[in-house]
Structures are given as C-alpha cells and as structure tokens.
C-alpha cells in the first residue's frame, strides 16, 4: 500500500469515527477577570491542535503554525461584534465550536457583566453542563452564587467549578480545598446532582488540556478529559413520551403524518397513543425518521408518525402514552425570568409559546421575586429586566406540560410581548395550581357570560361569607318628626359596632347631590325614591346592608321601591307616631305648612298612607326597645349576623 | 435494548429539521435562499427530509448576481429540476442593465447592488415573511452571536444590539406585517459537519469544490478563475492552468481558489484539517473594511 492510499484509508477511518461522536453543549460563566476568555481561547486552540495532531502522522510534511512564544490575545479571538470590540465587553451569548477525538462541543459563552441573567439563562437553556469560573485569589463571591443559582434554576445537572489562576496562589492545595468547601456549603441548598472541582491555570495551561505538573496533589481529570467523559445521555427524559405535533403532513389523500420532535420518552411502532386535548386513542403505524422508517424514536429525534385511525389532530396537539399523561391545565405556577428592557406590565395579555403551542397568557399573581445574589425572596409588584419571580399564569387554552424539573422540553415556555413581539420572558413551569387557590384574570366562557350580562363574578354566597350578612334594605317610613332619623342613625351605629357592613341613606344625603334638582312635589318625590331604590339595589347586590330613612308617604311609591330592590330584600319599618307627637318634635315645620307657607308636607297638605303590612311597626317612645326589636328581627330573619 | 444515543451529526440534523418545520408551520410565506454552495446543498437536503414523503411547502430562491460561476448556474437548474423544487431566480434588473460588475465597479458596489439590493428587492416583491439562509455561526466572528430566528425590521435591517433572546428550542415566530425573520437552520454546524453530512448523505455539490486543472490568474494574492469572456482581456491573458479548487463559492471574480490536490471529500477534509486559514479568507468581500460582514448584515445581506 502506498502512502497516498494509506492516508486516504486513515481519513476515511477518521471520518467514520468522527461522525459517531456525540455532542456536548456547555456553558461558561464568569467574568473577564476570572480569565474566562483565556480559558475558552485555550480550549479552542489547544484542542484544535490536538485534533489536528491526529492527522499529523499522515501529514508529517505539512506546515504547522508555531505556537511557541506566540502571544495570543484570546479575547480578540472570541469577541464577535463591532460594538463589543469598541466597548471592550461581551454583551451577548456567543456560540463556539470545537471537537476532540472523543466528542464535539458547543460552548455557549456568556458574559459575566451586563445583562448577565438574560444571557446566562439563554445560554443555559440549551446546555448540559456549566463551567463556573472562580478566581483562586478571591474564592466564592456573590457572582459565583448568582451563576450557580441560575444554572440550578435552568436545571443543568452538571457543574464544573473551575478554580482558575491557581498559579497566583502558588498552586496551593489548601486554597483549593477551602474554596471547594465554601462552595459545597452553599450549593447544598440547590439541587445540582453532579459537581466537579477542578484547579487550573488557563493562562499557563495547567489542567486545561493536560494534567498539571505544578499540581501533582490533584488526582482528578483535567478539564478537557472531564468534558470528554462526563456522562450526559441519561439527563434526557426517556420515561414520559411526549410528542408535540409540529406540522401535519398531507401530501396525498392516503397519507397523513404528524411531524415533530420527540420531546421526551420513547415511542415504538405499534404503541397505543392518546391525543391531547381530544383524549382520542390510536396506534402508531409508522415512524419515519431521517434515515427512513424506524422501529422506535427517542429525543431529540425529529420524526413523522402515522396512526391507525383517522383522528383530527393539528399543530399544538400532543401525542402521549395513555398510561402516562401530562398535565393539561390553564393555570400553573412558574419561575419567570424577565428579559425585556421594558418592565412587566402585570395587566398585559402576553403570547405564550410552549412546545408547539401558542396562546394568550396573563400573569395572575407575582408570588415573590428572587434575589439572585442572596437567593432570598421578596415581595414585588412587577418584574424588570433580569429579575426573576415566581408567578401564577393563566392561559387562554390549556397547555400540555410537565414540571420543568422533570421534563425540560414540556416545562419550558417563553412570553412574547403583545405589541412589540419581543421575547420578553423565559419561564419554567413548577406545577399546576390548585384550582381553588386563585381566581383567574383570564376569562373562561362562564366568566365571560357573567361579565357580558353585567353580573358580578362574586356570588351572593361568597359575599355572605365575607360580610356575615345578607344584603338587604331596611326602609324606614313615617311622618316628619316621627323619629325615623334617630332610629336610622342609632341602628347604623349599633350594626357597625356588631361588625356589619352598613350604609345609611336619608333625605339630606340624597338631596345634597344625587337628587339635587328635585323638589318635594309628588312627581319629584317619586323620582327621588326611584333613584334611591336603585342605589339600594346596587348596594344590596354587593352584600351591603342599607338603612333608608325616608317619609315615602304613598303606598304606590313604597310598592315601586319594593319592586326595584326586590321583595325578599325590602324590609319595611313603620314609625308609628301620632301627628301630635310629630308636631311636638318639629313645631316650626308643621306650623309653616299649616299656615300655607310650605307645600307638600305629608299629614298636613299631602296624604300619608299608613303601610298596610310593614315587617316592623315601632313606636317612637322607646329607642332601646326599638333597637332590640330590629336586631332580633335581623337575627331571626337570618340577615345579620350570619356565622 | 435499543440505543438511545444520538450522534452529533444526527443531532444537528434533527435540530435543523425541527427549525425548518417550525418555520413552515408558523409563517405564511417562507422561502429558502439558495446560494448553490455546499451549505445550501445541505440545507436543501434537510428541507427535503423534513417534509418527506411530502413536497417541501416553500420555494427555493436564488439571487443571481449574474457573475456566478457558470457551473453553479448549471448545477442549480439541474438540481431543482431533478428534485422537483419550485425554483425562483431573481436578479437586480436595473443593476444588470446598467452593466454593474466587479471588474468595472469594484467588489463593494457590485456586492451591494447585485447581491444585497437584489435580495431585498426580491424579498419585497414576493412578500416573503421568512427566509432560510445557510449561514453557520462558526463561519465568521459576527455570526457567533446571531440567532437562529434572526429578526429583521421592515427595511430588512439587523440590529445586533436588540436581538430577541432565544431559549431552548422555542422560537419566537411573531412578526408584524412587513417585518421578517431570517432563519439559519445550520447555525450550529461546523465546516467539518457540512462535509461529513455531504459524505454521509451523498449530497451532490458543485464540482468547483473539487480540485481540477483550471484557468486562473493571480489577483492581489487571490487566485481568480477565468470563467467567461467578461474578464478584461489584459487580465485573462495572464491566466495559466493550475490545479485548484474553491472552498466557498460566489461571484467568480470575487472568489479566490486555492491550490489543491483534493478531488474527493476525504481529501478535502484532510486538507481542511491541516490548513489553518479560516474558510472565509477566500472571499474577497470580507477584506473591504474592518467588520465588513457585520456591516453588510446590518444592511440586509445574509
């Protein structure tokens, strides 16, 4: 075999092996000061060198660039955009690619400074592993805690705590151990199953791609070895089959396929499946993968499924195994990371996108905001850029989801601003809400109906429970000077003292505004009573006890009032006082009327018709007794108090 | 027990197909921009797979600068016909009739009028609301931070400072009338991945990628192929036969060839692994000014 054929065979072998490698996506967190750029630069550079060395056997003659003594500005190698170069900071997530003999890697390089939360969350959303950089001289600092918290929030299961700049602490094992212990102390509160501690010096290359001779006390793997070997396949959810339908394929009359990505779980030919939201069942006939038909599919494969039965299925529907169903809810709790420059408008209706489903969503409640530095919770009204909160969300139609910690693919969502269409938040579903806990601000059909009909969403039973009373009207009628107002004001006070929620309406309060333009003529008096009756009705609807003190001289007027307020809510009290008693009480008034200086005074120049069947008939002499009568009456009628 | 491990190429493939389907399902009028290059060839194959056994529900569009290699145009027409693609070819009529070309007007004017402007005109003409491009993040520094769904305003402009955050595999497909999205399904692919996939899937590519004796001249350190009679005679006269191939394809006067013996994919990969220059160094347009690719992208170029 000549050299060229040998070379070609080697290349073929290399390519065959290369395409079998798996892919590891990881995130790097830390600031420029921690030497992050240097570390990434070195990984990219040194691994490329190693990678190329694979071929060096066949390429002995090939020219190679010399590394020795060459000073490389790694940050320049990495920074992408002009604006960043000018400002000297990395402002956005940048993706880098490199390979070794064992694996391919995608680095999400996230800046430590500005907008750290937004960028870190973005980078972490697609990562299996995070490298958190710590400066050996400073140890665990606020920033480290912040990075770790965000990594755990996004459910990343593997962390490498890279203690960098070990050269500046004389490669001290003690310093390293101290930092590891500090980190362990605080990280136990977060659920991160796999943490690897690694001392290194990115600048000098200690433990980056080669084990350091300067730290012979360190018996672990170097960074690249660790990245090559860390086991991440089992991080994927292979338990719960979820297939969000992305696209319906109907190329011919006899073919109907449902395309999408297997979000989680495994699906096999012949499996019984159930469709959400219809709950209809069928069987998998064919699984068409990218290499043709296949017996089974698993995440993250993109496939097309055909079913045994003709079921109406569209984008946004989800296929699952009937014995393992997702939540199908309109309301859930979630952790929300706010990503928009504009702070959250808690009253806006957002678009929510989760799997292949898009619908409307509202924030019902912000339960608390998390301080990413201290991990403490605080109250808040809204969320601003880079803030994280626990919220309750209601959607217009049900979403099919699992808690994010169990299933990233079905537990993640984004919120889209309804006006700008920016992606304004990233969310991770915690779980569904207990339906009794909250009243939604998103309207379901029943609520819509009530609102359209102008009916309160609070029903009378809820009001009764809240106020311990029934909303009724005590309507006190009687002549001028019969003691109505004394009775009305006293009973208001007494009821209030006993815990009732009560409103008093009498002539002076009403005439000062609501019926300002009306006089005492029979027609105007009727109009005044009509208005008062409507006020009573509104207040009674809200569960309020109303006390009215009006002469209301005519039976027809009282009848009309009773009809407006409602028969079962209208309770008439008649102050049965003689004309003589009244005249004694209000001598001036009666005198005026008798002299003809005053029109329309009931009992004098206007008829007062005595109520035929009042609920209570009271005599004005004994106020205390009257009180007891009324209070007893309210209690016996089960109006107030209600336990 | 069946394996549950997916290799890197199949993972990238699944990701790209997911993206392509998402666009087809979310937009009213998507189009796939076809540059006839190797990346485009991979992207087109992924689209075919995404809708198999159905037909791809959007057309291919090629922006013809009228200065493409002849072999590219032949390849394009043949491939589209052979594979049942609905192919749209657009060019800047005014520019073409005014005789714009790289030899007479320089690379900057030519690229702007015959590529960028031509693309924008075509997108407006057809009212496409989503356009696939074959760009990869590892190609060039300014692309490393580009989104997979990259938002463009009504003027097709890209604002690197206010890009929409992109999380998980949940893509924000909402645009207002007139706005659009450029979609890059190959964002996470590297040059080696592209070659690997072409090899694995036996995807046909333009023969210019393979080394062959070709008539070339040396121009400012670039090897420019004499592809037609429009090259000024005094230049063409200096041409000589050299065994060369192209790492990227574009307008022939603006695309430099490299001396190469690589006439198979394996040899190309071997060459690639040992040549340390990044692939875009053979594109003349990048040298115009610092950050020129970024500038072109802001203006609406891919």
């Amino acid at each position: 075999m000549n050299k060229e054929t040998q070379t070609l065979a080697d290349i073929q072998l290399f390519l065959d092996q290369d395409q079998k490698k798996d892919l590891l996506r990881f995130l790097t967190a830390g600031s420029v000061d921690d030497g992050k750029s240097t570390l990434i630069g070195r990984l990219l550079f040194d691994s490329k060198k190693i990678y190329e060395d694979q071929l060096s056997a066949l390429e002995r003659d090939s020219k190679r660039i010399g590394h020795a003594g060459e000073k490389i500005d790694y940050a320049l190698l990495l920074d992408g955009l002009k604006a960043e170069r000018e400002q000297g900071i990395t402002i956005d997530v940048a993706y880098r690619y490199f390979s070794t003999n064992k694996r391919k890697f995608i680095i999400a390089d996230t800046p430590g400074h500005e907008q750290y939360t937004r960028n870190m969350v973005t980078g972490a959303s697609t990562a299996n592993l995070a490298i958190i950089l710590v400066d050996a001289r400073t140890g665990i600092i606020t920033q480290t805690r912040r990075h770790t918290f965000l990594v755990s929030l996004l459910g990343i299961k593997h962390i490498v705590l890279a203690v960098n700049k070990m050269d500046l602490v004389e490669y001290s094992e003690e310093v390293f151990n101290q930092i590891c212990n500090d980190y362990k102390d605080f990280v136990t509160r977060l659920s991160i199953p796999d943490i690897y501690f690694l001392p290194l010096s990115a600048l000098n290359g200690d433990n980056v791609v080669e084990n350091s001779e300067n730290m012979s006390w360190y018996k672990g793997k170097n960074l690249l070895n660790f990245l090559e070997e860390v086991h991440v396949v089992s991080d994927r959810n292979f338990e719960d089959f979820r297939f969000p339908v992305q696209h319906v394929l109907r190329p011919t009359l006899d073919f109907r396929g449902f395309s999408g990505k297997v979000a989680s779980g495994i699906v096999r030919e012949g499996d019984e499946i159930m469709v959400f939201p219809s709950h209809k069942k069928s069987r998998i006939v064919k699984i068409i993968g990218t290499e043709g038909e296949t017996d089974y599919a698993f995440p993250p494969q993109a496939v097309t499924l055909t079913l045994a039965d003709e079921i109406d299925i569209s984008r946004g529907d989800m296929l699952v195994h009937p014995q393992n169903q997702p939540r199908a809810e309109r309301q859930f709790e979630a952790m929300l990371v706010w990503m928009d420059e504009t702070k959250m408008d808690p009253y806006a209706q957002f678009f929510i996108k989760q799997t292949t489903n898009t619908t409307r969503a509202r924030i019902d409640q912000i339960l608390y905001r998390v301080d990413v530095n201290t991990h403490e919770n605080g109250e808040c009204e809204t969320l601003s850029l880079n803030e994280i909160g626990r919220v309750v969300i209601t959607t217009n139609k049900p979403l099919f989801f699992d808690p994010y910690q169990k299933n990233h693919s079905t537990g993640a969502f984004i919120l889209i601003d309804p006006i700008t269409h920016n992606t304004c938040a990233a969310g991770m579903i915690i779980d569904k809400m207990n339906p009794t806990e909250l009243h939604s601000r998103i309207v379901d059909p029943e609520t819509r109906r009530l609102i359209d009909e102008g009916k309160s969403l609070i029903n009378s039973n809820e009001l009764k429970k809240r106020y311990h009373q029934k909303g009724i009207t005590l309507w006190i009628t009687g002549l001028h000077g019969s003691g109505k107002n004394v009775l009305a004001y006293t009973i208001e006070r007494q009821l209030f003292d006993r815990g009732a929620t009560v409103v008093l309406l009498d002539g002076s309060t009403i005439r000062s505004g609501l019926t300002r333009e009306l006089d005492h003529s029979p027609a105007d008096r009727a109009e005044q009573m009509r208005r008062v009756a409507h006020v009573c009705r509104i207040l009674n609807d809200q569960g309020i006890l109303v006390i009215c003190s009006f002469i209301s001289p005519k039976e027809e007027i009282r009848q009309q009032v009773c009809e407006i307020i409602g028969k079962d809510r209208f309770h008439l009290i008649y102050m049965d006082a003689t004309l003589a008693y009244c005249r004694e009480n209000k001598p001036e008034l009666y005198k005026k009327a008798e002299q003809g200086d005053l029109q329309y005074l009931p009992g004098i120049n206007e008829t007062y018709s005595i109520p035929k069947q009042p609920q209570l008939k009271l005599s004005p002499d004994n106020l205390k007794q009257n009180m007891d009568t009324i209070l007893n009456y309210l209690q016996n009628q089960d109006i107030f108090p209600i336990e | 027990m069946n394996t549950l491990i997916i290799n890197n190429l199949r993972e990238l493939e699944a990701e790209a197909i997911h993206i392509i389907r998402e666009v087809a399902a979310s937009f009213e009028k998507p189009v796939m921009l076809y540059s006839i290059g190797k990346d485009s060839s991979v992207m087109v194959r992924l689209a075919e797979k995404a809708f198999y056994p159905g037909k791809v529900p959007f057309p291919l569009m090629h922006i013809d600068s009228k200065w493409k290699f002849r072999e590219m145009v032949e390849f394009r027409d043949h491939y589209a016909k052979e594979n049942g693609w609905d192919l749209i070819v657009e060019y800047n009529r005014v520019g073409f009739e005014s005789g714009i070309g790289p030899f007479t007007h320089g690379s900057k004017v030519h690229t702007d009028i015959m590529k960028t402007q031509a693309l924008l005109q075509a997108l407006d003409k057809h009212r496409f609301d989503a356009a696939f491009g074959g760009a990869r993040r590892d190609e060039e520094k300014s692309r490393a931070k580009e989104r997979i769904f990259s938002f463009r305003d009504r003027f097709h402009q890209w604002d690197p400072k206010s890009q929409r955050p992109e999380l998980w595999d949940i893509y924000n497909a909402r645009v207002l009338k007139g706005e659009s999205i450029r979609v890059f399904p190959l964002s996470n692919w590297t040059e080696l991945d592209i070659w690997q996939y072409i090899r694995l899937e036996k995807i046909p590519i333009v023969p210019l990628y393979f080394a062959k004796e070709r008539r070339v001249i040396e121009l400012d350190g670039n090897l420019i192929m004499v592809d037609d009679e429009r090259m000024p005679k005094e230049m063409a006269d200096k041409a000589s036969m050299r065994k060369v191939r192209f790492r990227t394809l574009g307008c022939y006067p603006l695309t430099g060839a490299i001396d190469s013996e690589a006439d198979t994919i394996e040899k190309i990969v071997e060459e690639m692994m040992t040549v340390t220059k990044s692939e875009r160094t053979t594109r003349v347009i990048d040298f115009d000014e610092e950050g020129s690719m970024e500038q072109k992208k802001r203006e609406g170029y891919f």
Side-chain angles (χ1 to χ4, degrees), chain A residues 16 18 21 55 59 82 84 87 97 104 122 125 246 261 268 290 296 315 353 421 423, chain B residues 2-3 8 13 15 18 22 49 145 161 166 168-169 171-172 188 193 196 199 270 273 294:
Chain A
D16 290 343
D18 190 76
K21 293 174 195 169
L55 292 170
E59 277 300 315
K82 213 172 176 179
E84 289 176 2
Q87 290 164 17
Y97 304 83
K104 292 203 175 184
T122 302
S125 72
Q246 194 184 11
K261 178 167 154 179
R268 292 170 202 279
T290 55
Y296 72 107
R315 175 176 162 88
K353 189 169 182 195
H421 289 181
T423 304
Chain B
N2 311 101
T3 178
N8 70 86
E13 177 190 56
E15 181 184 76
H18 174 76
E22 196 65 7
K49 282 193 179 212
K145 299 177 184 190
K161 278 201 141 178
E166 198 161 77
W168 300 289
D169 56 359
Y171 302 103
N172 180 351
N188 285 324
D193 296 328
Q196 280 278 25
R199 177 173 176 263
E270 182 200 348
M273 302 285 293
E294 185 187 334

Side-chain angles (χ1 to χ4, degrees), chain A residues 320-591:
Chain A
V320 304
H321 286 142
Q323 72 280 9
N324 179 337
Q325 300 178 14
R327 309 253 195 268
E329 300 285 338
R330 290 181 49 236
Q331 196 170 50
F332 50 84
E333 272 190 49
M335 293 306 287
L336 203 63
V337 183
W338 199 253
M339 302 197 148
D340 209 334
E341 304 281 345
T342 317
K343 70 176 182 196
M344 175 207 287
D345 170 7
Y347 298 99
Q349 267 209 23
F350 299 94
F351 290 107
I352 186 169
K353 189 169 182 195
Q354 175 255 1
T355 67
T356 55
N357 237 320
T358 306
T359 181
R360 291 279 194 159
R362 293 191 86 142
I363 316 287
D364 277 329
Q365 205 183 343
I366 307 172
L367 299 169
Y368 55 79
R369 179 171 57 206
V370 187
D371 184 317
V372 287
N373 295 326
T374 62
H375 310 172
E376 277 165 9
N377 306 332
E379 271 186 42
C380 69
E381 302 282 310
T382 180
L383 294 175
S384 303
L385 180 62
N386 291 322
E387 288 186 337
I388 299 169
R390 182 168 177 152
V391 298
V392 179
I393 286 180
T394 301
T395 55
N396 231 346
K397 56 177 196 183
L399 296 181
F400 320 120
F401 63 84
D402 300 281
Y404 182 81
Q405 289 302 341
K406 204 175 150 211
N407 196 334
H408 289 195
S409 303
T410 58
F413 64 87
I414 59 169
L415 290 186
I416 299 168
D417 186 281
I419 296 160
T420 64
H421 289 181
N422 276 338
T423 304
C424 55
M428 287 137 283
I429 297 174
I430 295 166
D431 211 340
K432 65 177 177 177
M433 282 294 296
N434 184 341
T436 58
E437 269 179 60
L438 267 162
H439 205 87
S440 161
R441 289 222 319 265
I442 273 269
V443 287
D444 64 18
E446 173 60 9
T447 309
R448 186 81 257 173
R449 185 184 65 78
L450 289 170
I451 294 171
D452 289 346
E453 290 173 14
K455 287 180 182 154
S456 174
L457 301 180
I458 308 158
N459 66 40
S460 54
N461 277 333
E462 289 172 279
L463 291 166
K464 247 197 256 178
K465 251 186 167 167
R466 166 73 57 85
Y467 295 126
H468 308 288
Q469 66 188 31
K470 260 185 216 161
I472 57 101
T473 300
L474 286 177
W475 190 276
I476 307 169
T477 176
L479 291 170
H480 252 302
S482 61
K484 295 189 303 299
N485 280 5
V486 175
L487 181 79
Y489 280 77
T490 316
I491 192 73
E492 183 197 18
R493 176 81 237 177
Q494 295 265 336
L495 284 170
F496 178 79
D497 290 344
R498 285 167 170 74
T501 305
V502 57
V503 166
L504 186 143
L505 301 171
D506 69 350
S508 58
T509 50
I510 292 303
R511 285 186 183 281
S512 70
L514 189 61
T515 64
R516 189 163 53 192
E517 82 282 18
L518 305 176
D519 61 24
H520 292 85
S521 69
D524 279 12
R525 210 188 274 277
E527 170 60 14
Q528 169 167 279
M529 288 304 101
R530 191 189 66 79
R531 292 188 197 175
V532 169
H534 276 285
V535 173
C536 294
R537 183 192 158 135
I538 292 167
L539 289 168
N540 289 164
D541 280 346
Q542 315 282 339
I544 310 292
L545 247 164
V546 183
I547 300 164
C548 285
S549 169
F550 294 100
I551 301 170
S552 43
K554 294 212 166 63
E555 188 67 25
E556 315 83 271
I557 290 181
R558 294 191 296 261
Q559 195 53 45
Q560 191 198 0
V561 166
C562 171
E563 272 161 25
I564 292 169
I565 295 174
K567 242 186 175 135
D568 51 338
R569 287 167 164 186
F570 181 77
H571 299 258
L572 189 63
I573 299 174
Y574 172 46
M575 278 308 273
D576 185 14
T578 60
L579 194 58
Y581 177 89
C582 299
R583 194 182 274 127
E584 205 173 300
N585 252 346
K586 295 268 171 85
E588 306 254 314
L589 197 71
Y590 280 91
K591 206 170 173 184

Side-chain angles (χ1 to χ4, degrees), chain B residues 55-72:
Chain B
K55 191 178 175 296
V56 181
F58 44 76
L60 275 188
M61 181 165 78
H62 178 231
I63 301 302
D64 195 344
S65 68
K66 296 290 182 184
W67 287 87
K68 300 292 178 196
F69 290 94
R70 281 174 305 171
E71 279 180 75
M72 288 172 74

